[in-house]
Amino acid sequence: MTKDFGKEFTIANLKNMRQFYLTFPNGYALRSELSWTHYRLLMRVENENAREFYMQEAVKSQWSTR
């Protein structure tokens, strides 16, 4: 796919996109204040309540991904 659609379609990125879809299903309220990097980090948090807490805190406190 990289050859046809560009460098964003690497195996690693496709795996991240799939994990994003599985972690944040269509009905999930995504936050426009968070970047793709935020979501990549949040996907690693297995506990859904903890993930929601970190999402809210990241937005409220304007956390960077560092």
Side-chain angles (χ1 to χ4, degrees), residues 2-62:
T2 302
K3 189 168 119 181
D4 295 331
F5 298 106
K7 66 181 182 176
E8 292 82 18
F9 290 90
T10 62
I11 291 173
N13 275 344
L14 289 172
K15 286 181 180 181
N16 282 329
M17 291 176 204
R18 181 180 184 279
Q19 185 61 42
F20 179 83
Y21 174 77
L22 294 173
T23 306
F24 303 100
N26 292 333
Y28 201 90
L30 299 177
R31 305 296 300 257
S32 62
E33 301 92 346
L34 299 177
S35 67
W36 172 242
T37 305
H38 282 105
Y39 282 108
R40 283 184 41 218
L41 293 170
L42 287 165
M43 286 188 295
R44 297 180 190 168
V45 179
E46 292 182 19
N47 182 299
E48 191 173 338
N49 291 331
R51 187 170 48 245
E52 181 63 33
F53 170 79
Y54 285 120
M55 284 178 66
Q56 291 175 10
E57 287 298 311
V59 171
K60 183 173 75 175
S61 301
Q62 299 178 346

